[in-house]
Amino acid sequence: MVMGVLALVEAGLLILVNSLWDPAEWSRRLLTAGAVAGGLSIVLLVVPMLVAQVFEGLLPGLITTGSGIGLLLVPIGIICSGLGAVVHLVDGFRTETRT
């Protein structure tokens, strides 16, 4: 549940920055990568559990691999989204000081 909330926050941050400002290319790329990593982490964590419940233990290697990759994508998504927000803020400050 916590990871789902984090994925929603990452996607919301991407939507917020894109709708309110015109972010630089790197900022947009990092925010997009964070939202994608967050979404994929949820898919890779939830789908194997659902498959395990439906098929009762069929393909246990797939379940552990998917869950492991999903858990790895959570911090990657957080880091990418955080870096994207920081890059956007730094670019905003640079633009303000130049004018």
Side-chain angles (χ1 to χ4, degrees), residues 47-88:
V47 170
M49 285 189 263
L50 292 175
V51 169
Q53 287 182 354
V54 170
F55 295 111
E56 295 180 13
L58 185 66
L59 302 172
L62 175 68
I63 294 167
T64 57
T65 303
S67 297
I69 294 171
L71 287 174
L72 179 66
L73 286 174
V74 172
I76 290 172
I78 293 169
I79 291 169
C80 286
S81 292
L83 284 175
V86 168
V87 168
H88 175 69

Side-chain angles (χ1 to χ4, degrees), residues 9-71:
V9 168
E10 291 165 353
L13 184 62
L14 173 65
I15 291 169
L16 179 72
V17 169
N18 278 330
S19 65
L20 295 179
W21 301 284
D22 186 25
E25 181 181 350
W26 276 105
S27 176
R28 186 179 313 216
R29 284 183 183 182
L30 287 168
L31 288 168
T32 303
V36 168
L40 283 176
S41 69
I42 297 305
V43 169
L44 290 173
L45 288 169
V46 172
V47 170
M49 285 189 263
L50 292 175
V51 169
Q53 287 182 354
V54 170
F55 295 111
E56 295 180 13
L58 185 66
L59 302 172
L62 175 68
I63 294 167
T64 57
T65 303
S67 297
I69 294 171
L71 287 174

